[in-house]
Coordinates of all heavy atoms in Angstrom, one line a residue:
I51 N -7.0 1.6 -10.8 CA -6.2 0.7 -10.0 C -5.2 -0.1 -11.0 O -5.7 -0.8 -11.9 CB -7.0 -0.3 -9.2 CG1 -7.9 0.6 -8.3 CG2 -6.1 -1.3 -8.5 CD1 -9.0 -0.3 -7.5
E52 N -3.9 0.0 -10.8 CA -2.9 -0.7 -11.5 C -2.8 -2.1 -11.0 O -3.0 -3.1 -11.8 CB -1.5 -0.1 -11.4 CG -1.4 1.2 -12.2 CD -1.3 1.0 -13.6 OE1 -0.8 -0.1 -14.1 OE2 -1.7 1.9 -14.4
H53 N -2.7 -2.3 -9.7 CA -2.8 -3.7 -9.2 C -2.9 -3.5 -7.6 O -2.9 -2.3 -7.0 CB -1.5 -4.4 -9.4 CG -0.2 -3.8 -9.0 ND1 0.4 -2.9 -9.7 CD2 0.6 -4.0 -7.9 CE1 1.6 -2.5 -9.1 NE2 1.7 -3.2 -8.0
V54 N -3.3 -4.7 -7.0 CA -3.5 -4.8 -5.6 C -2.6 -5.8 -5.0 O -2.5 -6.8 -5.6 CB -5.1 -5.1 -5.3 CG1 -5.4 -5.2 -3.8 CG2 -5.9 -4.0 -6.0
K55 N -2.0 -5.5 -3.7 CA -1.2 -6.5 -3.1 C -1.9 -6.6 -1.7 O -2.3 -5.6 -1.0 CB 0.2 -6.0 -2.9 CG 1.0 -5.8 -4.2 CD 2.3 -5.2 -3.9 CE 3.0 -4.8 -5.1 NZ 4.4 -4.1 -4.7
S56 N -1.9 -7.8 -1.1 CA -2.5 -8.0 0.2 C -1.5 -9.0 0.9 O -0.8 -9.8 0.4 CB -3.9 -8.5 0.1 OG -4.0 -9.8 -0.5
R57 N -1.6 -8.8 2.3 CA -0.7 -9.8 3.1 C -1.3 -9.7 4.4 O -1.9 -8.8 4.9 CB 0.8 -9.3 3.1 CG 1.0 -7.9 3.5 CD 1.7 -8.0 5.0 NE 1.8 -6.7 5.5 CZ 1.0 -6.3 6.5 NH1 -0.1 -6.9 6.9 NH2 1.2 -5.0 7.1
I58 N -0.9 -10.8 5.1 CA -1.1 -11.0 6.6 C 0.3 -11.0 7.3 O 1.2 -11.7 6.8 CB -2.0 -12.2 6.9 CG1 -3.3 -12.1 6.4 CG2 -2.0 -12.6 8.5 CD1 -4.1 -13.3 6.6
K59 N 0.6 -10.2 8.3 CA 1.8 -10.1 9.0 C 2.2 -11.5 9.5 O 1.4 -12.3 10.1 CB 1.7 -9.0 10.1 CG 3.0 -8.7 10.6 CD 2.7 -7.6 11.8 CE 2.7 -6.2 11.2 NZ 4.0 -5.7 10.6
E60 N 3.4 -11.9 9.4 CA 4.0 -13.1 9.8 C 4.0 -13.2 11.4 O 4.2 -12.1 12.1 CB 5.4 -13.3 9.5 CG 5.6 -13.5 7.9 CD 5.1 -14.8 7.5 OE1 5.2 -15.8 8.2 OE2 4.5 -15.0 6.4
P61 N 3.7 -14.3 12.1 CA 3.7 -14.4 13.6 C 4.8 -13.8 14.2 O 4.8 -13.1 15.1 CB 3.6 -15.8 13.7 CG 3.0 -16.4 12.6 CD 3.4 -15.6 11.4
K62 N 6.1 -14.1 13.6 CA 7.4 -13.5 14.2 C 7.3 -12.0 14.2 O 7.9 -11.3 15.1 CB 8.5 -14.1 13.6 CG 8.8 -13.8 12.2 CD 10.1 -14.5 11.6 CE 10.1 -14.1 10.1 NZ 11.4 -14.8 9.5
S63 N 6.8 -11.4 13.2 CA 6.8 -9.9 13.0 C 5.8 -9.3 14.1 O 6.0 -8.3 14.6 CB 6.3 -9.6 11.6 OG 7.3 -9.9 10.7
I64 N 4.7 -10.1 14.3 CA 3.7 -9.6 15.3 C 4.3 -9.6 16.7 O 4.2 -8.6 17.5 CB 2.3 -10.5 15.2 CG1 1.7 -10.3 13.9 CG2 1.5 -10.1 16.4 CD1 0.6 -11.3 13.7
V65 N 5.0 -10.6 17.0 CA 5.7 -10.7 18.3 C 6.7 -9.8 18.6 O 6.8 -9.1 19.6 CB 6.3 -12.3 18.4 CG1 7.3 -12.4 19.6 CG2 5.2 -13.4 18.5
K66 N 7.5 -9.6 17.5 CA 8.6 -8.5 17.5 C 8.1 -7.1 17.7 O 8.6 -6.4 18.5 CB 9.4 -8.7 16.2 CG 10.7 -7.7 16.1 CD 11.4 -8.0 14.9 CE 12.7 -7.1 14.8 NZ 13.4 -7.3 13.5
K67 N 7.0 -6.9 17.1 CA 6.4 -5.5 17.2 C 5.7 -5.3 18.6 O 5.9 -4.2 19.1 CB 5.2 -5.3 16.1 CG 4.8 -3.9 16.0 CD 4.0 -3.7 14.7 CE 3.7 -2.2 14.6 NZ 3.0 -2.0 13.3
L68 N 5.0 -6.4 19.1 CA 4.7 -6.3 20.5 C 5.7 -6.1 21.5 O 5.6 -5.1 22.4 CB 3.9 -7.5 20.9 CG 2.4 -7.7 20.3 CD1 1.8 -9.1 20.5 CD2 1.5 -6.6 20.8
K69 N 6.8 -6.8 21.3 CA 7.8 -6.7 22.3 C 8.6 -5.3 22.1 O 9.0 -4.7 23.1 CB 8.9 -7.7 22.0 CG 8.5 -9.1 22.5 CD 9.6 -10.2 22.2 CE 9.1 -11.6 22.9 NZ 10.0 -12.6 22.5
R70 N 8.6 -4.7 20.9 CA 9.3 -3.5 20.7 C 8.6 -2.4 21.4 O 9.1 -1.3 21.9 CB 9.4 -3.2 19.2 CG 10.3 -2.0 18.8 CD 10.6 -1.9 17.3 NE 9.3 -1.6 16.5 CZ 8.9 -2.5 15.6 NH1 9.5 -3.6 15.3 NH2 7.7 -2.2 14.9
H71 N 7.3 -2.5 21.5 CA 6.4 -1.5 22.0 C 6.1 -1.7 23.5 O 5.2 -1.2 24.1 CB 5.1 -1.2 21.3 CG 5.4 -0.8 19.9 ND1 5.6 0.6 19.7 CD2 5.4 -1.3 18.7 CE1 5.8 0.8 18.4 NE2 5.6 -0.3 17.7
G72 N 6.8 -2.8 24.0 CA 6.8 -3.1 25.4 C 5.5 -3.8 26.0 O 5.1 -3.7 27.2
H73 N 4.9 -4.5 25.1 CA 3.6 -5.3 25.4 C 3.9 -6.7 25.5 O 4.7 -7.4 24.8 CB 2.6 -5.1 24.4 CG 2.1 -3.7 24.1 ND1 1.6 -2.9 25.0 CD2 2.3 -2.9 23.0 CE1 1.5 -1.7 24.6 NE2 1.8 -1.7 23.3
E74 N 3.2 -7.4 26.5 CA 3.3 -8.8 26.6 C 2.8 -9.5 25.3 O 1.9 -8.9 24.8 CB 2.4 -9.3 27.8 CG 2.7 -10.7 28.2 CD 1.7 -11.1 29.4 OE1 1.3 -10.2 30.1 OE2 1.6 -12.3 29.6
V75 N 3.3 -10.6 25.0 CA 2.8 -11.3 23.8 C 1.6 -12.2 24.1 O 1.7 -13.3 24.6 CB 4.0 -12.2 23.2 CG1 3.5 -12.9 21.9 CG2 5.1 -11.3 22.7
T76 N 0.5 -11.6 23.8 CA -0.8 -12.2 24.0 C -1.7 -12.1 22.8 O -1.5 -11.0 22.1 CB -1.6 -11.9 25.3 OG1 -2.0 -10.5 25.2 CG2 -0.7 -11.9 26.5
L77 N -2.8 -12.9 22.7 CA -3.7 -12.7 21.6 C -4.4 -11.3 21.8 O -4.8 -10.6 20.8 CB -4.7 -13.8 21.6 CG -5.3 -14.2 20.3 CD1 -4.3 -14.3 19.0 CD2 -6.1 -15.5 20.3
E78 N -4.8 -11.0 23.0 CA -5.6 -9.9 23.4 C -4.7 -8.6 23.0 O -5.3 -7.7 22.3 CB -5.9 -9.6 24.8 CG -6.9 -10.6 25.3 CD -6.3 -11.8 26.1 OE1 -5.2 -12.2 25.8 OE2 -7.0 -12.4 27.0
N79 N -3.4 -8.5 23.3 CA -2.5 -7.5 23.0 C -2.2 -7.3 21.5 O -2.3 -6.2 21.0 CB -1.2 -7.6 23.8 CG -1.3 -7.2 25.3 OD1 -2.3 -6.7 25.6 ND2 -0.3 -7.4 25.9
M80 N -2.3 -8.4 20.8 CA -2.1 -8.5 19.3 C -3.3 -7.7 18.7 O -3.1 -6.9 17.9 CB -2.1 -9.8 18.8 CG -2.1 -10.1 17.4 SD -2.2 -11.7 16.8 CE -4.1 -12.0 16.7
L81 N -4.5 -8.0 19.1 CA -5.7 -7.3 18.6 C -5.8 -5.9 19.1 O -6.3 -5.0 18.3 CB -6.9 -8.1 19.1 CG -7.2 -9.5 18.6 CD1 -8.2 -10.3 19.2 CD2 -7.4 -9.4 17.0
K82 N -5.2 -5.6 20.3 CA -5.5 -4.3 20.9 C -4.6 -3.3 20.3 O -4.7 -2.1 20.0 CB -5.4 -4.3 22.3 CG -5.8 -3.0 23.1 CD -5.7 -3.3 24.6 CE -6.1 -2.1 25.4 NZ -6.1 -2.2 26.8
Y83 N -3.2 -3.8 20.1 CA -2.1 -2.8 19.7 C -1.6 -2.9 18.3 O -0.9 -2.0 17.8 CB -1.0 -3.1 20.7 CG -1.4 -2.7 22.2 CD1 -1.5 -3.7 23.1 CD2 -1.7 -1.5 22.5 CE1 -1.8 -3.5 24.4 CE2 -2.0 -1.1 23.9 CZ -2.1 -2.2 24.7 OH -2.3 -1.9 26.1
I84 N -1.9 -4.0 17.7 CA -1.4 -4.2 16.2 C -2.4 -4.1 15.3 O -3.3 -4.9 15.2 CB -0.7 -5.6 16.0 CG1 0.3 -5.9 17.3 CG2 0.0 -5.7 14.7 CD1 1.6 -5.0 17.2
T85 N -2.4 -2.9 14.5 CA -3.5 -2.7 13.5 C -3.2 -3.0 12.2 O -4.0 -2.8 11.2 CB -3.9 -1.1 13.6 OG1 -2.7 -0.4 13.3 CG2 -4.4 -0.6 14.9
D86 N -2.0 -3.5 11.9 CA -1.7 -3.8 10.5 C -1.4 -5.3 10.3 O -0.6 -5.7 9.5 CB -0.3 -3.0 10.1 CG 0.9 -3.2 10.9 OD1 0.7 -4.0 11.9 OD2 1.9 -3.0 10.5
I87 N -2.1 -6.1 11.1 CA -2.0 -7.5 10.8 C -2.3 -8.0 9.5 O -1.7 -8.7 8.7 CB -2.7 -8.3 11.9 CG1 -2.0 -8.2 13.3 CG2 -2.7 -9.8 11.6 CD1 -2.9 -8.7 14.4
A88 N -3.5 -7.4 9.0 CA -4.0 -7.7 7.8 C -3.9 -6.4 7.0 O -4.3 -5.3 7.4 CB -5.5 -8.0 7.8
G89 N -3.1 -6.4 5.8 CA -3.0 -5.2 5.0 C -3.2 -5.3 3.6 O -3.0 -6.4 3.0
I90 N -3.7 -4.3 3.0 CA -4.0 -4.3 1.5 C -3.4 -3.1 1.0 O -3.5 -1.9 1.5 CB -5.5 -4.5 1.3 CG1 -5.7 -5.0 -0.2 CG2 -6.3 -3.3 1.5 CD1 -7.0 -5.8 -0.4
R91 N -2.7 -3.1 -0.2 CA -2.1 -2.0 -0.8 C -2.7 -1.8 -2.2 O -2.7 -2.8 -3.1 CB -0.6 -2.2 -0.9 CG 0.1 -1.1 -1.4 CD 1.6 -1.4 -1.4 NE 2.2 -1.9 -0.3 CZ 3.1 -2.7 -0.2 NH1 3.8 -2.9 -1.2 NH2 3.6 -3.2 1.0
I92 N -3.3 -0.6 -2.4 CA -3.9 -0.4 -3.8 C -2.9 0.6 -4.5 O -2.6 1.7 -4.1 CB -5.2 0.3 -3.6 CG1 -6.2 -0.5 -2.7 CG2 -5.9 0.6 -5.1 CD1 -7.5 0.1 -2.3
I93 N -2.5 0.1 -5.7 CA -1.5 0.9 -6.5 C -2.2 1.6 -7.6 O -2.8 0.8 -8.4 CB -0.3 0.0 -7.0 CG1 0.3 -0.8 -5.8 CG2 0.8 1.0 -7.6 CD1 0.8 -0.1 -4.6
C94 N -2.0 2.9 -7.7 CA -2.6 3.6 -8.8 C -1.6 4.2 -9.7 O -0.4 4.3 -9.4 CB -3.5 4.7 -8.3 SG -4.7 4.3 -7.1
S95 N -2.1 4.6 -11.0 CA -1.1 5.2 -11.9 C -0.8 6.7 -11.4 O 0.3 7.1 -11.5 CB -1.8 5.3 -13.3 OG -1.9 4.0 -13.8
F96 N -1.9 7.5 -11.0 CA -1.7 8.9 -10.9 C -2.4 9.2 -9.5 O -3.3 8.6 -8.9 CB -2.5 9.6 -12.0 CG -2.0 9.3 -13.3 CD1 -2.8 8.5 -14.1 CD2 -0.8 9.8 -13.8 CE1 -2.4 8.2 -15.5 CE2 -0.4 9.4 -15.1 CZ -1.1 8.5 -15.8
T97 N -1.9 10.4 -9.0 CA -2.5 10.9 -7.6 C -3.8 11.1 -7.8 O -4.6 10.9 -6.9 CB -1.7 12.2 -7.2 OG1 -1.8 13.1 -8.3 CG2 -0.4 11.9 -6.7
Q98 N -4.4 11.5 -9.0 CA -5.7 11.8 -9.4 C -6.5 10.5 -9.0 O -7.8 10.6 -8.6 CB -5.9 12.2 -10.8 CG -7.3 12.3 -11.2 CD -7.3 12.7 -12.7 OE1 -6.6 13.6 -13.1 NE2 -8.0 12.0 -13.5
D99 N -5.9 9.4 -9.3 CA -6.8 8.2 -9.0 C -6.8 7.7 -7.6 O -7.9 7.1 -7.1 CB -6.0 7.0 -9.7 CG -5.8 7.1 -11.2 OD1 -6.8 7.6 -11.8 OD2 -4.9 6.6 -11.8
I100 N -5.9 8.3 -6.8 CA -6.2 8.1 -5.3 C -7.3 8.9 -4.9 O -8.1 8.4 -4.1 CB -4.8 8.6 -4.5 CG1 -3.6 7.7 -4.9 CG2 -5.1 8.7 -3.0 CD1 -2.3 8.1 -4.3
Y101 N -7.5 10.1 -5.5 CA -8.8 10.9 -5.2 C -9.9 10.1 -5.5 O -10.9 10.2 -4.9 CB -8.8 12.2 -5.8 CG -7.8 13.3 -5.4 CD1 -6.5 13.6 -6.0 CD2 -8.1 14.1 -4.2 CE1 -5.7 14.5 -5.6 CE2 -7.2 15.0 -3.8 CZ -6.0 15.2 -4.4 OH -5.1 16.2 -4.0
R102 N -9.8 9.4 -6.6 CA -11.0 8.7 -7.0 C -11.4 7.5 -6.1 O -12.6 7.2 -6.0 CB -10.8 8.1 -8.4 CG -10.7 9.1 -9.6 CD -10.3 8.5 -10.9 NE -10.1 9.4 -11.9 CZ -10.7 9.5 -13.1 NH1 -11.7 8.7 -13.2 NH2 -10.4 10.4 -13.8
I103 N -10.5 7.0 -5.4 CA -10.6 5.9 -4.5 C -11.0 6.3 -3.2 O -11.8 5.8 -2.4 CB -9.5 4.9 -4.6 CG1 -9.3 4.3 -6.0 CG2 -9.6 3.7 -3.6 CD1 -8.0 3.7 -6.4
A104 N -10.3 7.4 -2.6 CA -10.6 7.8 -1.3 C -10.1 9.3 -1.1 O -9.4 9.7 -2.2 CB -9.8 7.0 -0.3
D105 N -10.4 10.0 -0.1 CA -9.9 11.2 0.0 C -8.5 11.2 0.2 O -7.9 10.5 1.0 CB -10.6 12.0 1.3 CG -12.0 12.2 1.1 OD1 -12.5 12.5 0.0 OD2 -12.7 12.2 2.0
Y106 N -7.7 12.0 -0.6 CA -6.3 11.9 -0.5 C -5.8 12.8 0.6 O -6.1 14.0 0.8 CB -5.8 12.5 -1.8 CG -4.3 12.6 -2.0 CD1 -3.6 11.2 -1.9 CD2 -3.6 13.6 -2.3 CE1 -2.2 11.2 -2.1 CE2 -2.1 13.6 -2.4 CZ -1.4 12.4 -2.4 OH -0.2 12.3 -2.7
I107 N -4.8 12.3 1.5 CA -4.2 13.1 2.4 C -3.1 14.0 1.9 O -2.2 13.5 1.3 CB -3.6 12.1 3.6 CG1 -4.8 11.4 4.3 CG2 -2.9 12.9 4.5 CD1 -4.3 10.4 5.3
T108 N -3.4 15.2 2.0 CA -2.3 16.2 1.4 C -1.2 16.5 2.3 O -0.2 17.0 1.8 CB -3.0 17.5 1.0 OG1 -3.6 18.1 2.1 CG2 -4.0 17.2 -0.1
H109 N -1.3 16.2 3.6 CA -0.1 16.6 4.4 C 0.7 15.3 4.5 O 0.4 14.3 5.1 CB -0.7 16.9 5.9 CG -1.8 17.9 5.9 ND1 -1.4 19.3 5.6 CD2 -3.0 18.0 6.1 CE1 -2.4 20.0 5.6 NE2 -3.5 19.3 6.0
P110 N 1.9 15.5 4.1 CA 2.9 14.3 4.1 C 3.3 14.0 5.6 O 3.2 14.9 6.4 CB 4.1 14.8 3.3 CG 4.0 16.2 3.3 CD 2.6 16.7 3.5
K111 N 3.7 12.7 5.7 CA 4.2 12.3 7.0 C 5.5 12.9 7.2 O 6.1 13.4 6.2 CB 4.2 10.8 7.0 CG 2.9 10.0 7.1 CD 3.0 8.5 6.8 CE 3.8 7.8 7.7 NZ 3.9 6.3 7.5
V112 N 6.1 12.7 8.3 CA 7.4 13.3 8.7 C 8.5 12.9 7.7 O 9.3 13.6 7.3 CB 8.0 13.0 10.1 CG1 9.2 13.4 10.4 CG2 6.8 13.6 11.1
S113 N 8.3 11.6 7.3 CA 9.3 11.0 6.4 C 9.2 11.6 5.0 O 10.2 11.5 4.2 CB 9.1 9.4 6.2 OG 7.8 9.2 5.6
G114 N 8.2 12.3 4.7 CA 8.0 12.9 3.3 C 7.0 12.0 2.5 O 6.7 12.4 1.3
Y115 N 6.8 10.9 2.8 CA 6.0 10.0 2.1 C 4.6 10.4 2.2 O 4.0 10.8 3.1 CB 5.9 8.6 2.7 CG 5.1 7.5 2.1 CD1 5.3 7.3 0.8 CD2 4.2 6.9 2.9 CE1 4.4 6.4 0.2 CE2 3.4 5.8 2.3 CZ 3.6 5.7 0.9 OH 2.7 4.6 0.4
R116 N 3.9 10.5 0.9 CA 2.5 10.9 0.7 C 1.6 9.7 0.2 O 2.0 9.3 -0.8 CB 2.3 12.1 -0.2 CG 3.2 13.2 0.3 CD 3.1 14.3 -0.7 NE 4.2 15.3 -0.6 CZ 4.1 16.5 -1.3 NH1 3.1 16.8 -1.9 NH2 5.2 17.3 -1.1
S117 N 0.7 9.3 0.9 CA -0.3 8.3 0.4 C -1.4 8.4 1.3 O -1.4 9.0 2.3 CB 0.2 6.9 0.5 OG 0.5 6.3 1.6
Y118 N -2.5 7.5 1.0 CA -3.6 7.5 1.8 C -3.6 6.3 2.7 O -3.5 5.1 2.1 CB -4.8 7.6 1.0 CG -6.1 7.8 1.8 CD1 -6.5 9.1 2.1 CD2 -6.9 6.7 2.1 CE1 -7.6 9.3 2.9 CE2 -8.2 6.9 2.9 CZ -8.4 8.2 3.1 OH -9.6 8.4 4.0
H119 N -3.7 6.4 4.1 CA -3.7 5.2 4.9 C -5.1 5.2 5.6 O -5.4 6.3 6.1 CB -2.6 5.3 5.8 CG -1.3 5.2 5.4 ND1 -0.2 4.8 6.1 CD2 -0.7 5.4 4.2 CE1 0.9 4.9 5.4 NE2 0.5 5.2 4.2
M120 N -5.7 4.1 5.8 CA -6.9 4.1 6.6 C -7.0 2.8 7.2 O -6.5 1.7 6.7 CB -8.1 4.4 5.8 CG -8.5 3.5 4.6 SD -9.8 4.1 3.7 CE -9.4 3.7 2.0
L121 N -7.7 2.7 8.3 CA -7.9 1.4 8.9 C -9.5 1.2 8.7 O -10.4 2.1 9.1 CB -7.8 1.5 10.5 CG -6.3 1.6 10.8 CD1 -6.1 1.8 12.4 CD2 -5.3 0.4 10.4
V122 N -9.8 0.0 8.2 CA -11.3 -0.3 8.0 C -11.7 -1.5 8.8 O -11.0 -2.6 8.8 CB -11.4 -0.7 6.4 CG1 -12.8 -1.0 6.0 CG2 -10.8 0.6 5.6
A123 N -12.8 -1.4 9.4 CA -13.4 -2.6 10.1 C -14.3 -3.2 9.2 O -15.3 -2.7 8.6 CB -14.3 -2.0 11.3
V124 N -13.8 -4.5 8.9 CA -14.5 -5.3 7.9 C -15.3 -6.4 8.7 O -14.8 -7.1 9.4 CB -13.5 -6.0 7.0 CG1 -14.3 -7.0 6.0 CG2 -12.7 -5.1 6.2
P125 N -16.7 -6.3 8.4 CA -17.6 -7.4 9.1 C -17.3 -8.8 8.4 O -17.6 -8.9 7.2 CB -19.0 -6.9 9.0 CG -18.9 -6.0 7.7 CD -17.5 -5.4 7.6
V126 N -16.9 -9.8 9.3 CA -16.7 -11.1 8.8 C -17.9 -11.8 9.3 O -18.0 -12.1 10.6 CB -15.4 -11.7 9.3 CG1 -15.3 -13.2 8.8 CG2 -14.2 -10.9 8.7
H127 N -18.7 -12.4 8.3 CA -20.0 -13.2 8.8 C -19.6 -14.6 9.0 O -19.2 -15.3 8.1 CB -21.0 -13.0 7.7 CG -21.4 -11.6 7.5 ND1 -22.6 -11.2 8.0 CD2 -20.9 -10.6 6.8 CE1 -22.7 -9.9 7.9 NE2 -21.7 -9.4 7.0
L128 N -19.8 -15.0 10.3 CA -19.6 -16.4 10.7 C -21.0 -17.1 10.8 O -21.9 -16.5 10.6 CB -18.7 -16.5 12.0 CG -17.3 -15.8 12.0 CD1 -16.8 -15.8 13.4 CD2 -16.5 -16.5 10.9
S129 N -20.9 -18.4 11.1 CA -22.2 -19.1 11.1 C -23.0 -18.6 12.3 O -24.3 -18.7 12.2 CB -21.9 -20.6 11.3 OG -21.2 -20.9 12.4
D130 N -22.4 -18.2 13.3 CA -23.2 -17.8 14.5 C -23.1 -16.3 15.0 O -23.7 -15.9 16.0 CB -22.9 -18.6 15.8 CG -21.4 -18.5 16.1 OD1 -20.6 -18.1 15.3 OD2 -21.0 -18.9 17.2
R131 N -22.3 -15.5 14.2 CA -22.1 -14.1 14.6 C -21.4 -13.3 13.5 O -20.9 -13.9 12.6 CB -21.2 -14.1 15.9 CG -19.8 -14.4 15.9 CD -19.1 -14.6 17.1 NE -19.5 -15.9 17.6 CZ -19.6 -16.2 18.9 NH1 -19.3 -15.5 19.8 NH2 -20.0 -17.4 19.2
V132 N -21.3 -12.1 13.6 CA -20.4 -11.2 12.8 C -19.3 -10.6 13.6 O -19.5 -10.0 14.7 CB -21.4 -10.1 12.1 CG1 -20.5 -9.2 11.4 CG2 -22.5 -10.7 11.3
V133 N -18.1 -10.7 13.1 CA -17.0 -10.2 13.8 C -16.3 -9.1 13.0 O -16.0 -9.4 11.8 CB -15.9 -11.3 14.2 CG1 -14.8 -10.7 14.9 CG2 -16.6 -12.5 15.0
D134 N -16.1 -7.9 13.5 CA -15.3 -6.8 12.8 C -13.9 -7.0 13.0 O -13.3 -7.1 14.1 CB -15.8 -5.4 13.4 CG -17.2 -5.2 13.2 OD1 -17.7 -5.5 12.0 OD2 -17.9 -4.3 14.0
I135 N -13.2 -7.1 11.9 CA -11.8 -7.3 11.7 C -11.1 -6.0 11.1 O -11.6 -5.7 10.0 CB -11.4 -8.5 11.0 CG1 -11.9 -9.9 11.6 CG2 -9.9 -8.7 10.8 CD1 -11.4 -10.2 13.1
I136 N -10.1 -5.6 11.7 CA -9.4 -4.3 11.2 C -8.4 -4.7 10.1 O -7.6 -5.6 10.2 CB -8.6 -3.6 12.3 CG1 -9.6 -3.1 13.3 CG2 -7.9 -2.5 11.7 CD1 -10.6 -2.2 13.0
V137 N -8.6 -4.0 8.9 CA -7.7 -4.2 7.9 C -7.1 -2.8 7.5 O -7.7 -1.8 7.4 CB -8.4 -4.7 6.6 CG1 -7.4 -4.8 5.4 CG2 -9.0 -6.1 6.9
E138 N -5.8 -2.8 7.4 CA -5.0 -1.5 7.1 C -5.0 -1.5 5.6 O -4.6 -2.3 4.9 CB -3.7 -1.5 7.7 CG -2.9 -0.2 7.5 CD -1.4 -0.3 7.9 OE1 -0.8 -1.2 7.5 OE2 -1.2 0.7 8.7
V139 N -5.4 -0.3 5.1 CA -5.5 0.0 3.7 C -4.5 1.1 3.2 O -4.6 2.2 3.9 CB -6.9 0.3 3.1 CG1 -6.8 0.5 1.6 CG2 -7.9 -0.7 3.5

Side-chain angles (χ1 to χ4, degrees):
I51 299 171
E52 287 288 329
H53 58 275
V54 176
K55 300 175 187 174
S56 62
R57 63 104 186 98
I58 294 180
K59 194 178 272 295
E60 292 288 326
K62 64 181 180 183
S63 296
I64 295 170
V65 169
K66 188 176 179 181
K67 191 166 188 178
L68 282 170
K69 287 181 176 178
R70 188 169 68 241
H71 293 286
H73 302 298
E74 186 182 348
V75 179
T76 65
L77 206 54
E78 293 102 327
N79 283 346
M80 176 186 88
L81 293 169
K82 191 173 179 181
Y83 298 113
I84 311 290
T85 57
D86 63 345
I87 293 171
I90 195 158
R91 190 180 310 156
I92 304 167
I93 311 301
C94 305
S95 299
F96 306 104
T97 51
Q98 171 183 311
D99 297 329
I100 295 174
Y101 285 104
R102 291 173 189 241
I103 296 166
D105 292 331
Y106 183 61
I107 293 180
T108 55
H109 304 292
K111 292 165 61 177
V112 175
S113 65
Y115 174 57
R116 301 178 202 191
S117 76
Y118 190 83
H119 295 198
M120 59 184 147
L121 297 176
V122 179
V124 178
V126 176
H127 295 262
L128 302 174
S129 59
D130 61 343
R131 72 195 78 207
V132 177
V133 182
D134 290 330
I135 299 295
I136 298 299
V137 174
E138 183 183 58
V139 179

